[in-house]
Amino acid sequence: MDNSGAKNTCCGSVRDFFTSAKFLIYMGHALSTWGDRMWNFAVAVFLVELYGNSLLLTAVYGLVVAGSVLLLGAIIGDWVDKNPRLKVAQTSLLVQNSCVIVCGILLMVVFQFKEQLAELYNGWILTTCYILVITIANIANLASTATAITIQRDWVVVVAGQDSSTLADMNATVRIIDQLTNILAPMLVGQIMTFGSPFIGCGFIAGWNLCSMCVEYALLWTVYQKTPALSMKGGQKEQQQELKQLSPPKELENGQSPEESSQPLMIEASMVKPGAPKQRSCCYQVSEPLRTLRAGWVAYYNQNIFFAGMSLSFLYMTVLGFDCITTGYAYTQGLNGSVLSLLMGASAVAGICGTVAFTWVRKKCGLIRTGFISGTAQLSCLILCVVSVFAPGSPLDLSVSPFEDIYSHLMGETVLPEAEHSLTSLLTAVNATTAAPAEELPPLQSYMSVSLLFAGVIAARMGLWSFDLTVTQLIQENVKESERGVINGVQNSMNYLLDLLHFIMVILAPNPEAFGLLVLISVAFVAMGHVMYFGFAFKSLGSRLFLCCSPEQKVEEVESPSLPTTV
């Protein structure tokens, strides 16, 4: 009897976990992230394939996406704040997946009838299709941004309740899901496109998003029903009272304008003074996005975690990551795709270790100290990257102008458009120019610099992801519920701004001889970011920053304000 009772209790606890709101959020996030990773990987490949192995469309798409989030991040966050949680989650989910489905179908049509479309109206029909693909894909990315703000920055906080440890565990689990899907999803769609065709890849992604949308919708509804706190949102009661005051009798009795009674970030476009001219009302509505944008940035600047958020943004101004830039540099140094895939796998493992370490260190030392420790660990590992710049085998040559390639193009060297934008031609030319020096150097010397570089990058991922989780939870715990969306929207804009700057930096110095300078500049920006965080931590804790605390002392209650009481 005792054994059967224990088994029933165990089965009941397992069943409760798999039906809990926490697990359902993990499932929904896994499905959403898997679809996003497949699409983000595939759309770049599709655009290169469509434009004759040219990077032009991919570059335009990246610029449009980054610029859109940079300009509209605060407005998207404000929309998240102003509307009910379920409506925001459902709308962003439907828009995101619908756009991906439509874009996938459009790409299938283009792949199937590309030659016929190129002959219609001197190719303008095909050009229009390219514009539509980039536009619709950009809308999908904006909707994905709204979904991320809603689920990862708001719903997770509400489901965690007042328990900071539960919130940290949920953030860590969400980040592990991100790491795994970032590796596995591109592998799957890449295999489909390799053994099938881009046409089949488009159809698979469109079908996946159709099925995933239905499942995610059901999961969101279930989580909403299981968590009554999600139905109550900070500021909704105040908004309802303000809307009631808009009726003529109450406005005459009260005599108070909506601008005076509402919060700066919760101003409704329809809240205008009674008797105001129609032209002013129209201008008021037209200028509302600009006022929302300004109010969002001002509110972000006034947050007590402003320097912590800025420190995270500064980490985006770097070439020390596994993106197309670092991968391209690795090719110039003689590393093949097989080695790079292993390095990417090691990077993901290091990121997962950093995510797990975050939860353990936070319990032992507290949240703010965890960021201090993570930043110190990341900077220590990046010293290897600095050493790699001056190690044997480094292509750094200060006698070669970083702008030589740009000057050569501006001086009128004629290059065929296909050759100018061809990734294959570019890699062939670069490898041809670097093959001779690589053969003259001993193997150990020729690979010492790039080995130190990637050793530092991989090792630094542990501190990077732990630091990212620290700042994310600081924003979750310290930002008011009514401003949570707009503050996270501005944070995304800051991240994209620094990310754009790092691409501009590479454009200005694209040759391998200048990559060492980019590494030094990247480390300098990372150091500046952590200096900002160290200042924030010292201001928050003072002399207690370097004191060790035991878990029983409840360091979170001392270090940072508790979770908003409205949660």
Side-chain angles (χ1 to χ4, degrees):
M1 294 297 294
D2 294 338
N3 292 334
S4 62
K7 290 181 180 180
N8 293 333
T9 303
C10 181
C11 294
S13 60
V14 172
R15 183 174 59 253
D16 292 340
F17 172 76
F18 284 108
T19 58
S20 63
K22 183 192 303 185
F23 179 78
L24 296 179
I25 279 189
Y26 296 155
M27 288 292 298
H29 179 70
L31 290 174
S32 177
T33 307
W34 187 279
D36 284 346
R37 296 297 185 269
M38 284 198 307
W39 172 247
N40 291 334
F41 171 81
V43 68
V45 178
F46 292 154
L47 293 177
V48 172
E49 183 75 18
L50 284 175
Y51 210 65
N53 291 331
S54 168
L55 298 176
L56 178 61
L57 287 182
T58 305
V60 171
Y61 170 70
L63 182 63
V64 170
V65 166
S68 299
V69 177
L70 176 61
L71 295 176
L72 302 178
I75 297 175
I76 292 174
D78 185 66
W79 174 74
V80 172
D81 287 333
K82 286 182 177 180
N83 293 275
R85 288 190 173 96
L86 185 60
K87 176 184 176 182
V88 170
Q90 292 175 338
T91 302
S92 57
L93 173 67
L94 293 175
V95 172
Q96 174 190 358
N97 287 274
S98 299
C99 287
V100 172
I101 293 171
V102 172
C103 202
I105 295 175
L106 182 59
L107 284 171
M108 293 174 67
V109 173
V110 174
F111 276 119
Q112 190 71 17
F113 305 102
K114 182 179 179 181
E115 296 181 358
Q116 293 86 334
L117 292 175
E119 297 175 356
L120 295 176
Y121 299 99
N122 296 324
W124 281 104
I125 298 297
L126 185 60
T127 303
T128 303
C129 291
Y130 291 156
I131 296 174
L132 286 176
V133 168
I134 293 176
T135 303
I136 298 173
N138 183 48
I139 296 174
N141 182 75
L142 293 175
S144 176
T145 302
T147 302
I149 293 175
T150 303
I151 304 301
Q152 299 181 39
R153 302 296 186 265
D154 187 28
W155 282 44
V156 169
V157 181
V158 178
V159 172
Q162 299 288 336
D163 193 342
S164 182
S165 297
T166 302
L167 179 60
D169 293 338
M170 292 187 68
N171 286 331
T173 304
V174 167
R175 199 53 50 89
I176 291 175
I177 293 173
D178 290 340
Q179 291 282 337
L180 293 176
T181 55
N182 196 31
I183 300 174
L184 299 178
M187 289 176 59
L188 174 63
V189 71
Q191 295 299 318
I192 293 175
M193 294 171 59
T194 300
F195 294 99
S197 66
F199 180 86
I200 297 176
C202 292
F204 176 78
I205 293 176
W208 173 275
N209 278 269
L210 179 61
C211 299
S212 176
M213 177 176 61
C214 300
V215 178
E216 290 179 56
Y217 195 95
L219 290 174
L220 285 175
W221 175 258
T222 306
V223 172
Y224 187 81
Q225 295 297 322
K226 287 180 173 291
T227 313
L230 289 171
S231 61
M232 297 301 297
K233 196 170 186 179
Q236 284 187 349
K237 295 182 178 179
E238 292 80 359
Q239 291 182 35
Q240 293 175 0
Q241 293 176 358
E242 292 168 0
L243 292 174
K244 290 180 181 179
Q245 293 176 359
L246 293 178
S247 59
K250 293 187 178 181
E251 288 172 352
L252 294 176
E253 294 175 3
N254 196 353
Q256 185 181 18
S257 65
E259 289 85 352
E260 297 172 354
S261 60
S262 60
Q263 298 178 2
L265 292 178
M266 306 304 295
I267 299 177
E268 296 288 345
S270 59
M271 294 182 181
V272 295
K273 294 181 179 180
K278 293 184 179 180
Q279 293 182 353
R280 182 176 180 181
S281 176
C282 181
C283 294
Y284 187 89
Q285 295 179 5
V286 171
S287 62
E288 183 186 9
L290 296 177
R291 293 196 314 276
T292 301
L293 184 64
R294 178 183 178 277
W297 284 90
V298 170
Y300 179 77
Y301 175 77
N302 291 329
Q303 296 293 321
N304 60 341
I305 43 86
F306 168 72
F307 284 106
M310 285 292 295
S311 66
L312 179 61
S313 298
F314 267 62
L315 302 190
Y316 283 78
M317 178 65 176
T318 178
V319 296
L320 303 175
F322 280 89
D323 56 4
C324 55
I325 295 172
T326 311
T327 303
Y329 173 76
Y331 271 110
T332 67
Q333 300 305 298
L335 300 184
N336 56 33
S338 176
V339 174
L340 281 175
S341 63
L342 294 176
L343 292 177
M344 291 182 67
S347 173
V349 172
I352 294 175
C353 292
T355 302
V356 176
F358 161 77
T359 58
W360 183 82
V361 177
R362 191 205 63 83
K363 292 178 181 179
K364 297 293 183 180
C365 303
L367 185 59
I368 295 181
R369 291 187 184 88
T370 300
F372 181 85
I373 296 172
S374 302
T376 304
Q378 184 185 9
L379 285 175
S380 301
C381 295
L382 291 181
I383 294 177
L384 293 175
C385 300
V386 177
V387 174
S388 72
V389 176
F390 308 99
S394 172
L396 179 66
D397 188 355
L398 298 180
S399 63
V400 179
S401 172
F403 311 105
E404 183 178 355
D405 291 346
I406 298 178
Y407 291 157
S408 63
H409 285 289
L410 292 178
M411 292 303 292
E413 290 187 2
T414 57
V415 184
L416 292 176
E418 294 81 6
E420 182 180 2
H421 298 292
S422 175
L423 178 60
T424 305
S425 301
L426 177 61
L427 293 177
T428 302
V430 173
N431 285 328
T433 58
T434 58
E439 293 176 358
E440 295 175 358
L441 294 172
L444 180 60
Q445 292 182 346
S446 62
Y447 288 102
M448 182 178 294
S449 175
V450 69
S451 299
L452 289 173
L453 175 67
F454 280 96
V457 170
I458 293 173
R461 306 300 282 184
M462 294 184 63
L464 171 64
W465 284 110
S466 180
F467 183 80
D468 178 80
L469 284 170
T470 299
V471 176
T472 297
Q473 186 159 341
L474 282 172
I475 296 175
Q476 291 172 333
E477 293 186 354
N478 290 274
V479 175
K480 292 192 302 183
E481 186 178 0
S482 60
E483 298 181 352
R484 195 175 290 154
V486 71
I487 297 302
N488 282 285
V490 176
Q491 182 66 50
N492 285 340
S493 298
M494 283 298 305
N495 297 343
Y496 271 93
L497 174 61
L498 272 297
D499 194 43
L500 272 178
L501 292 180
H502 115 267
F503 279 111
I504 294 174
M505 177 177 67
V506 176
I507 292 174
L508 294 177
N511 50 336
E513 291 80 5
F515 191 81
L517 294 176
L518 302 185
V519 171
L520 297 179
I521 295 174
S522 299
V523 174
F525 268 87
V526 172
M528 285 190 291
H530 287 303
V531 167
M532 290 183 183
Y533 182 84
F534 295 162
F536 160 78
F538 189 81
K539 182 179 179 181
S540 301
L541 299 180
S543 60
R544 292 178 288 109
L545 175 62
F546 304 101
L547 298 178
C548 296
C549 296
S550 61
E552 290 79 7
Q553 290 179 301
K554 299 181 180 180
V555 290
E556 280 78 21
E557 296 180 3
V558 178
E559 294 178 355
S560 60
S562 59
L563 295 178
T565 55
T566 54
V567 176

